[in-house]
Structures are given as C-alpha cells and as structure tokens.
Amino acid sequence: MVKHLPQAVKHLLTLRNPEVWPSPPLGRLHNVFNRTLKEAKERNAEDGWLVLSTCTLLTTNRPSSLGHLYRFVARDDPSSAESRKSLAEVVYKAALMREAALKSVIFVGVPRTILSLTGLKDSLEEDVYAALRHTSIREATPQTIEATVARGQALWNSIYQPHALKLYNKLGDLHPDFIKFIIQAYGTVLSPLPRGDLEQGNLTRALGSVVGIATLRAEGRVGPQLTSHVFGLLKARNEEKLNDEDKYLSSDEGTEWVIRTVDEIIDAVTSEDASLAKGKL
C-alpha cells in the first residue's frame, strides 16, 4: 500500500497552477448578478438565468462562487443569513442549481463538476440540504435501461436533426463505444426526467440546452460543439407544451440573450486571471 507521495512527485504537483481559481471580489460578482438578473426578470427568464450563471461559474472553475450565487438568490441580503427567503423557494433554487451542475458533467467533465457541487453543498443550510432529494433516480437497471436509451436517442434527434444520423455514425467511427456512451449519458443525465415538474430540480429541454451553451461558451475553443447546442436551443421551440420562459429562451432573441449574458458573467469573473496566473509562475 502506498501511503505517501514521493517528494519529487509531491513537488511536481504544486506546479502548473493546480489550485482552483478564487472567486472574484464580491462587489464585482454581485454587480454582474444584479445587472443580469434584472434583465432576466424583464424577460421572465429567471430560471434560465440561474442555470446559465451556475454553469458559467462551474466551467470557469470558481467553486466558491457557486456558494456566493446561492446566497445571492436565497437571501434578500446575501450577507445576512436572517434575510433568507422561504424554505420552499430556496430549496427550488438550490435543486435547480444542483441539477444544472450535474448536467454540466456532459460538457466539461467530472473534476470541475465535483468541485462546484462541493462548493454549492458547503453553502447550503442544514434544512435546505435535508429537503433536497437524497435517493438516486438515475441508476441503470435491466428494467430502466431501454427507456433511458430511448430518452437519450430522442434528445439526440431533437438537437441534431436533420444531421442526427450522419453525426451518430461519424462519432461511432471515432470509437465504437463513444456514441453509445453519449446516447446513454444524454438519456441518463442531460435529458429532462420523465416525471416533469414532479421531479425536484428537473430542467426542461430548453434549459438543458442552456446548460450546453453556457458550459461550452465558457470553456472556449469548442466552436462546432457550441454551434450545435445553440441550434439545439433554437430547436427546443418545437417541443410540446412549452412554458412562457422556454418559448422566450428558444426564440432568436432569447438565444442571443443567453449567449450575451454568459459572456457578461465570464468577463466579470475572469478579468484578473492573466495577472493571477502570471504571479503564480
């Protein structure tokens, strides 16, 4: 059993900036939150704003910022625990953030998702955490796998038509297991859960595309994938029984607003990155 890292290896792990980025100053963070939330309220898109904000902060690797975002939406005064809103409202927002962060794993991977979910969980009050779901509903079993794959294939088709089959085959050519993994991941994680609003924190088809846009825009240099999920949001307007927010988000104007708002948050939280990275070299 290996109990300790060799000193040389331990030293190497301190290089190349292994630590997560710190949260930007609270004043700047709250300023961009206030400004962009005001725009979201004018558009009846508060859930979309919370989803894109969560995913942008996660992707820019600011785990502590998820806690600041939670306190911002959970309290009338983020600095005052006594100003917290009703338990039902706060649990709704926490569940939405947690589900958005989980879906982000599809686009930016496990490590950042772990760090940001930890940052969120650490900020939750005991009664809020206790009110969140604690039993998995996504475990693959012989009884559920067919429905999961069908759900994933349906979402794939919804996002990528009329090129769904061509892209399916193209990714299958890269590795025979790759496309199967993606379809199962879409069905398990990215697609809306079958019970709709009865499922705590469930994200609609449109909000799932907002997750994709926010993470890929914040990640950068993945233009083809970002473009695909922008089309995915625009195509969400064709879903049945859209609520008013989803109608807006999937409109031309709404999709543009999502991208511009993600950019605004990115600019606010990353403005000091270059100087901080230089100082750590």
Side-chain angles (χ1 to χ4, degrees):
M1 181 180 294
V2 178
K3 296 184 177 180
H4 303 288
L5 290 173
Q7 284 299 317
V9 173
K10 191 174 182 179
H11 172 68
L12 283 173
L13 295 181
T14 67
L15 307 177
R16 302 283 180 177
N17 302 317
E19 301 299 326
V20 299
W21 291 105
S23 172
L26 272 182
R28 188 195 312 155
L29 200 60
H30 286 169
N31 184 48
V32 73
F33 287 167
N34 276 311
R35 189 168 62 250
T36 53
L37 178 57
K38 180 177 181 293
E39 294 176 354
K41 288 179 176 179
E42 293 170 352
R43 293 162 170 79
N44 190 31
E46 292 180 59
D47 284 355
W49 173 84
L50 186 55
V51 167
L52 71 84
S53 298
T54 298
C55 297
T56 302
L57 295 174
L58 182 151
T59 306
T60 57
N61 206 15
R62 267 93 178 155
S64 61
S65 294
L66 269 292
H68 295 314
L69 176 61
Y70 166 74
R71 285 183 286 273
F72 179 84
V73 298
R75 302 173 180 178
D76 293 322
D77 176 359
S79 65
S80 172
E82 289 73 26
S83 70
R84 201 186 78 179
K85 300 172 183 177
S86 71
L87 180 62
E89 182 177 358
V90 172
V91 169
Y92 176 84
K93 293 179 185 300
L96 204 68
M97 291 178 67
R98 191 170 73 159
E99 188 70 12
L102 176 68
K103 290 182 186 294
S104 297
V105 74
I106 298 291
F107 303 101
V108 295
V110 171
R112 294 184 185 198
T113 303
I114 291 175
L115 292 169
S116 288
L117 280 172
T118 301
L120 174 61
K121 180 179 180 294
D122 289 347
S123 69
L124 300 178
E125 300 88 350
E126 289 184 6
D127 59 338
V128 175
Y129 182 69
L132 292 173
R133 176 168 58 84
H134 292 275
T135 302
S136 175
I137 55 175
R138 286 183 163 101
E139 183 177 2
T141 68
Q143 292 73 37
T144 62
I145 188 62
E146 287 189 9
T148 299
V149 171
R151 199 161 58 242
Q153 188 67 60
L155 179 59
W156 175 272
N157 292 341
S158 173
I159 293 172
Y160 299 110
Q161 290 289 23
H163 308 294
L165 179 60
K166 179 180 179 180
L167 183 58
Y168 183 100
N169 292 333
K170 180 178 180 180
L171 297 188
D173 288 342
L174 300 178
H175 190 293
D177 297 330
F178 188 34
I179 186 58
K180 301 297 185 182
F181 164 76
I182 292 176
I183 296 298
Q184 291 178 37
Y186 272 35
T188 304
V189 178
L190 191 58
S191 66
L193 293 165
R195 297 202 312 150
D197 291 342
L198 296 176
E199 212 64 76
Q200 187 186 65
N202 200 11
L203 268 59
T204 63
R205 160 72 175 81
L207 289 175
S209 283
V210 171
V211 172
I213 291 173
T215 51
L216 294 169
R217 184 69 167 185
E219 185 173 7
R221 299 185 182 277
V222 285
Q225 289 72 34
L226 173 60
T227 300
S228 291
H229 286 279
V230 168
F231 272 115
L233 179 55
L234 292 168
K235 293 173 186 176
R237 67 182 64 170
N238 299 320
E239 296 292 307
E240 296 180 359
K241 299 179 181 179
L242 289 178
N243 60 40
D244 289 341
E245 179 172 8
D246 286 353
K247 288 178 183 178
Y248 174 74
L249 292 171
S250 60
S251 69
D252 292 2
E253 178 188 332
T255 299
E256 179 183 350
W257 174 78
V258 167
I259 298 170
R260 290 186 183 279
T261 305
V262 170
D263 285 352
E264 196 167 348
I265 296 172
I266 293 171
D267 290 343
V269 302
T270 64
S271 60
E272 295 178 348
D273 286 4
S275 59
L276 284 172
K278 186 177 180 180
K280 291 182 179 181
L281 292 178

